[in-house]
Amino acid sequence: MKLVQLLLVGSVFLLPLGAHAQWQWLDKNNKKVYSDQAPPPEVPEKNILRRPGAPPKRLNFSTPAAADAAATETAAAAPSTPSPPPAAPKAAGVDKELEEKARKAEEAEKAKQAAEAQKLAQAKAENCGRARQGKATMDSGIRVARVNAQGERIIMDDEARASEQKRLQTIIDADCK
């Protein structure tokens, strides 16, 4: 029972960590927007207030004069070459989601093609079995009757039997590989 209580208390302390992985930006109406997904591309970089994983900005409580003096000291100490602007980090979660969706779509397409190939192979196997059975019947020499369009039974003559044997042999050659 103590383990359950310990897990419950631990999960309560871990709840705020989920809120830390949030994006925060100002939309076109200057309203703050909170989301677990990156802002749309039309949001300028200056309007993005917080990114997931980035430490929150620290507030500077020094007086403006002291802040200006500190800024000039760091500017004088820094080399005169301009620093490159910070690169915008990629939204790794979005890229992973897109890759995952693409991979799942590709797997679904492969599974669909495999199912169609299996269905085709099964149909060929059935056709092969029927053709072999019909060829064996034709080769046996017994009398075979067919039903015509009017529903009458007509016994096959030697010419019809030979043409049926050729047709069945072509099916066997095509489907029984």
Side-chain angles (χ1 to χ4, degrees), residues 102-118:
R103 186 183 60 78
K104 284 183 180 182
E106 186 176 316
E107 287 176 0
E109 184 66 28
K110 285 182 182 179
K112 184 178 177 182
Q113 289 175 353
E116 288 177 11
Q118 183 180 6

Side-chain angles (χ1 to χ4, degrees), residues 39-50:
E42 59 265 5
V43 174
E45 193 69 28
K46 64 177 181 143
N47 287 355
I48 299 175
L49 303 175
R50 187 170 58 175

Side-chain angles (χ1 to χ4, degrees), residues 49-109:
L49 303 175
R50 187 170 58 175
R51 291 178 164 73
K57 294 181 182 177
R58 296 190 180 201
L59 297 176
N60 188 3
F61 292 108
S62 62
T63 61
D68 290 341
T72 46
E73 281 180 23
T74 56
S80 62
T81 59
S83 64
K90 286 186 177 180
V94 174
D95 289 344
K96 287 180 183 178
E97 289 176 12
L98 290 175
E99 289 173 4
E100 184 70 21
K101 284 182 182 180
R103 186 183 60 78
K104 284 183 180 182
E106 186 176 316
E107 287 176 0
E109 184 66 28

